[in-house]
Amino acid sequence: MQLLIWNLLLGALSSSHAVPTTTQKPLIGTNQEDRVENNLTRGSSGRPLRGRFLHISDLHPDPFYKYHSSSSQEDACHRGEGPAGILGAETTDCDSPISLINATFKWINDNLKNDIDFVIWTGDSARHDNDEQIPRTVEQVTSLNRMLVDKFVEVFGKEENINDTDPTNDFIIPIIPTWGNNDILPHNILAKGPNPWTKRYLDIWRKFIPEEQRHSFERGGWFYVEVIPNKLAVISLNTLYFFDSNAAVDGCADPSEPGHQHFEWLRIQLQFLRQRGMKAILMGHVPPARTESKMSWDETCWQRYTLWLHQFRDVVVGSVYGHMNIDHFMLQDSHNLDLLSLLGTNEPTKRTSMGDEINTQSAASYLTELRSEWSHLPKLPKVSSKKKTERKKGNGNSKEDNFLKNVGGPRAERYSLSLVSPSVIPNYFPSLRVIDYNITNAETRSPTSNMLKARVDGHDRNLLELCRAVDREGSSENLGIAMLCNQAMDGSIDDEVEKSKFKIPRGPPKSSPPGPAYSPQTFSWLGYTQYYANLTEINDDFTNSTVPRATNEGVVSSGWKEGKHHGKHPKESNPSPSKFEFEIEYDTRDDEIFSLKDLTVMSYLTLAGRIGQFKPEKGDRIPTQISDEKPRAQEPDGHDILQSGKKHKKKKKHRKHPKHEKRKAINRVWFTFVGRAFVGSRDDNDLHDEFGQPSYGGGEGDPKGETPQQQGTNPASADKEHPGPPPPDVGKGTGGGPTKAGSDGNDAQQHGGAGSGSSSGSSGSTSSKSGASPRIHSENTPAEENADVKKHNEELEKRHDRASNKVDDDGKDNVSKKFWSGHGGADKDP
């Protein structure tokens, strides 16, 4: 009965359009009679290249979604009464209603269908398993994926050819899908193939997978499509075999693991494409996110991915992913390659798995860590035109020369780039991305121009053999693997290297120019347009539809987002939405803040460096003003206390009015980056509090200084400000500490502090966006001092490093000489 109801419901909500069982038609035919017109290649369909493709990800259709239902975790927009809109509950963790799916594909049909060359579809095409009352089933997951295939057929299929005998004439452009971690059951867990899921998707995606690759797809779920035959391929990676949350597999080092086999398959395909003079785009669901403390891929898989991209940098045009729902990018640094990590023989650095989903709080921490890493990137020095002339006459030891050496030459070939697009599911606002790529001379590219050279030089060698050759030849083509070779030639690990038989892919031929990801050329990515649908305005359920934007207040302790409208009810019982449309959030080609001239690695390396600046250049600063709602607090010594907790000497003359005084400037590139990460759905003030406020106790120049929620306690300043015995355990849960009603101590610590606007003090205190006054300045002192507090204060007063104890009445210093020599107080060695 449940299955019958499910089929009826799905049938009522989705199209009944027939799904063909044939393979898709390539964009450009291979028939020699195809003609070139207006500098564009035309296939048998007569469709010219447009130089654009669509990236769509994480649709998460949910046929159980109920509009005007509750967005609480218990109801998941399936029951109850609440703010869930007819076209989706923006800024919540609810899935997408079928109405949003239909509206999205209609908009694509009306606005993009005739202007793109192919579609990259990066998975998560079923609803989440987020409702215990409606558990997911195999039939649900497969039916929802079939429904989305139907949608692509409706928009890009040729209805007059669906039932004809030509298996290559059913689509006007190629559609390339991939797996999401929610496209299987249980989610995240995919065992080595062939397995029931690889067989199911071989059937669901039969029209998308080239016939000659169906056997390998059934084995591992990977395949590629020549979207421009003999010229450009899109490789669909099965990132579930790299995913650290997939308990059914174990990394990519062991030859028996599907992750290892996947990279061997990828190595062979990229080598084959190089021999044919072709280029490739890589696509997948889970991106290779990796920071100091977080990761999404197993380390052995990340190592291989970084090495493969580096060695095939002449072939790979770019990489695109979904899954994380936040708009951002990541750089892979070949200097982070480690031989033992590649071989899986050492204990990897302890990093926390990012899990199957990323919520607002974990996203904030992750983005902050990205910025911290980018703050240490090599920085391009400013060079005047005069110095440029002098440098040309010099010996190549200028700062710019050193910079270029550090980044791998003028094209930054030390690094590779992965782009992550936001999603259709309205965790923030529904999003689509259209990427523009260079099609200049695409019709004249010879697919065999590099074939002979690649066949001569292209064989892969055992790592030790390659390193010996590098040692003999000193070949520049092996840039980035010098450290691997140094490790491989180390006598202490010879046996492990020899036993592994690890083969390293050959790098680009010596005569090969930098690839499209590094140097503008045919197929290089020129820019992208980021679209979003403002569901707050479209649903039009609340009187003031444009405010408020989302904050962190709708996030419950479990991480579930109830959204910015939680607790509210729509103004009308019957929804009357406005016209659904996607609008441009930003376009990289005319964006004055990011200032990306193209999407090459050097452009993104420069952008990452600007984002990482904690003392940005003048043009990248946002001058912020101190609020004049409250006067500055003052120390008894006449110093002013800024919100950052730093002091500056009070000027007795020429003092400006507080509203004209500027705090430490905030990096507007970073602020724009995090705003776009959440697709413009977060309130600016909320973003400022979370990502832009210096916190009490310092942090200037510290990557965490502008993100107090992530900064935690500054050990150095904490010791200096509170020397002596640890503070007594008071005020926890009693109203006397920083906790708020309904929050535990951990929550208070996370959201408290001067930067977050959480106030501390006696019971009944309220939260203030302008920050809290220090307790020491409060006129309402306690009537009776706690015994523990009294003891703590007495011990504190007796310490020799107290200001009042450092000098006797006779002016002599009574502090131990050991203290001044660095052996006492806060500076004492552990």
Side-chain angles (χ1 to χ4, degrees), residues 583-740:
E583 53 189 298
I584 296 176
E585 182 190 5
Y586 66 96
D587 190 321
T588 61
R589 291 162 302 182
D590 57 17
D591 176 28
E592 296 181 355
I593 298 179
F594 279 8
S595 300
L596 289 168
K597 63 179 182 180
D598 51 36
L599 303 187
T600 57
V601 172
M602 180 61 89
S603 292
Y604 270 100
L605 181 66
T606 303
L607 174 60
R610 292 169 62 211
I611 291 172
Q613 288 294 311
F614 290 90
K615 292 182 179 179
E617 299 295 332
K618 186 175 181 180
D620 287 344
R621 298 175 190 168
I622 299 179
T624 56
Q625 297 177 344
I626 298 172
S627 171
D628 57 357
E629 294 179 359
K630 288 188 177 181
R632 290 173 183 257
Q634 287 190 0
E635 285 278 311
D637 60 4
H639 288 80
D640 289 332
I641 301 177
L642 298 180
Q643 290 181 355
S644 65
K646 294 199 176 280
K647 299 179 180 180
H648 73 275
K649 189 69 178 177
K650 178 180 178 182
K651 294 183 179 181
K652 295 183 178 180
K653 294 182 180 181
H654 308 293
R655 180 168 183 182
K656 298 179 181 180
H657 190 276
K659 70 178 182 179
H660 297 300
E661 293 183 354
K662 295 181 179 180
R663 260 191 330 104
K664 175 185 174 183
I666 294 175
N667 186 332
R668 73 166 182 162
V669 187
W670 160 244
F671 195 76
T672 301
F673 174 72
V674 294
R676 290 174 176 175
F678 301 108
V679 199
S681 65
R682 297 278 299 276
D683 180 75
D684 283 352
N685 291 328
D686 185 54
L687 286 175
H688 186 75
D689 288 343
E690 185 162 13
F691 294 103
Q693 289 279 14
S695 71
Y696 182 74
E700 184 174 356
D702 181 357
K704 296 180 180 179
E706 290 188 27
T707 53
Q709 287 83 345
Q710 310 303 328
Q711 181 172 335
T713 302
N714 185 333
S717 62
D719 289 342
K720 292 176 182 177
E721 293 165 7
H722 303 289
D729 190 16
V730 296
K732 294 184 179 180
T734 64
T739 57
K740 295 186 289 185

Side-chain angles (χ1 to χ4, degrees), residues 406-671:
N406 284 335
V407 301
R411 303 299 180 183
E413 293 178 78
R414 165 181 166 180
Y415 299 92
S416 55
L417 172 69
S418 300
L419 301 184
V420 183
S421 295
S423 56
V424 172
I425 181 178
N427 290 155
Y428 306 110
F429 284 135
S431 302
L432 300 171
R433 176 172 293 180
V434 175
I435 298 178
D436 291 67
Y437 67 103
N438 191 342
I439 56 173
T440 303
N441 298 322
E443 79 287 354
T444 61
R445 280 182 52 83
S446 171
T448 60
S449 58
N450 294 323
M451 184 179 296
L452 181 61
K453 181 66 177 177
R455 282 180 174 171
V456 172
D457 288 349
H459 65 283
D460 299 329
R461 288 187 280 184
N462 177 281
L463 178 59
L464 288 176
E465 293 177 0
L466 178 62
C467 290
R468 293 185 187 109
V470 172
D471 188 51
R472 290 192 306 268
E473 303 166 8
S475 175
S476 61
E477 71 172 282
N478 295 293
L479 174 70
I481 65 167
M483 290 183 293
L484 289 181
C485 286
N486 288 337
Q487 297 173 50
M489 304 298 283
D490 183 350
S492 63
I493 60 172
D494 271 353
D495 291 341
E496 293 183 56
V497 176
E498 191 66 40
K499 182 179 179 181
S500 72
K501 302 296 182 182
F502 177 65
K503 287 189 175 182
I504 189 168
R506 188 77 183 214
K510 296 178 183 179
S511 60
S512 178
Y518 298 90
S519 175
Q521 58 192 265
T522 305
F523 302 137
S524 291
W525 292 355
L526 305 175
Y528 65 80
T529 305
Q530 191 62 46
Y531 293 93
Y532 79 108
N534 189 331
L535 290 187
T536 305
E537 296 182 355
I538 294 171
N539 285 327
D540 194 21
D541 278 328
F542 303 95
T543 302
N544 192 346
S545 61
T546 59
V547 292
R549 287 190 178 183
T551 68
N552 266 334
E553 296 177 2
V555 180
V556 298
S557 59
S558 65
W560 175 272
K561 291 187 300 182
E562 295 182 336
K564 62 181 179 180
H565 300 305
H566 70 282
K568 300 179 182 179
H569 295 280
K571 60 185 179 182
E572 303 289 344
S573 58
N574 294 321
S576 55
S578 303
K579 179 183 178 181
F580 181 89
E581 61 181 352
F582 284 93
E583 53 189 298
I584 296 176
E585 182 190 5
Y586 66 96
D587 190 321
T588 61
R589 291 162 302 182
D590 57 17
D591 176 28
E592 296 181 355
I593 298 179
F594 279 8
S595 300
L596 289 168
K597 63 179 182 180
D598 51 36
L599 303 187
T600 57
V601 172
M602 180 61 89
S603 292
Y604 270 100
L605 181 66
T606 303
L607 174 60
R610 292 169 62 211
I611 291 172
Q613 288 294 311
F614 290 90
K615 292 182 179 179
E617 299 295 332
K618 186 175 181 180
D620 287 344
R621 298 175 190 168
I622 299 179
T624 56
Q625 297 177 344
I626 298 172
S627 171
D628 57 357
E629 294 179 359
K630 288 188 177 181
R632 290 173 183 257
Q634 287 190 0
E635 285 278 311
D637 60 4
H639 288 80
D640 289 332
I641 301 177
L642 298 180
Q643 290 181 355
S644 65
K646 294 199 176 280
K647 299 179 180 180
H648 73 275
K649 189 69 178 177
K650 178 180 178 182
K651 294 183 179 181
K652 295 183 178 180
K653 294 182 180 181
H654 308 293
R655 180 168 183 182
K656 298 179 181 180
H657 190 276
K659 70 178 182 179
H660 297 300
E661 293 183 354
K662 295 181 179 180
R663 260 191 330 104
K664 175 185 174 183
I666 294 175
N667 186 332
R668 73 166 182 162
V669 187
W670 160 244
F671 195 76

